[in-house]
Amino acid sequence: MHMKENQDEVAHDEPYYKIVDRLALPVPWLSPEVMLTDEFSEYSDMWAYGVTLIEVYKLGSAPYDTMSLHQIQIYVTGGNVIPKPTSCPQSIYDNIIAGCFAFSPTDRPRFSVIAAMLETVANGELESRSTDTIRAAATHGLRPDSN
């Protein structure tokens, strides 16, 4: 792997890593700025986390369905985001996931903000989990947790 870690003290808006040589990258989880500048940051990590949440609500299905890697790159750099999966509660998508997909990196929330939101969901909205998620899990032979 030919990545160079930023050796200087990392300022809040400086990249964690800069791609030095082309290497295999997980395109579906890359943010628009990584696709355009090859620079990773905590903001690009937040984008990847949003993609991971989409995967959770799609029960592990590909986040961009049948798009090729090239199509994903055009889609994402064109300002598009993954639509809400049918099993994802609208409030989760609107209040958590959509923020992860802000096109401007600095408009994305910090992980501490997301953690607080998820704690609120766990404490107050867990009982109102989407029945579609539970039904989809059962269809795929998965058991939703009993908490």
Side-chain angles (χ1 to χ4, degrees), residues 2 12 17 50 63 94 114 129:
H2 294 90
H12 179 66
Y17 298 97
D94 291 345
I114 294 295
R129 284 188 291 198

Side-chain angles (χ1 to χ4, degrees), residues 134-147:
I134 295 169
R135 190 176 308 115
T139 301
H140 288 84
L142 304 172
R143 272 185 348 159
D145 63 354
S146 58
N147 293 353

Side-chain angles (χ1 to χ4, degrees), residues 107-124:
D107 288 343
R108 296 179 202 140
R110 293 180 170 265
F111 278 104
S112 59
V113 172
I114 294 295
M117 289 178 174
L118 290 173
E119 186 174 338
T120 300
V121 169
N123 291 333

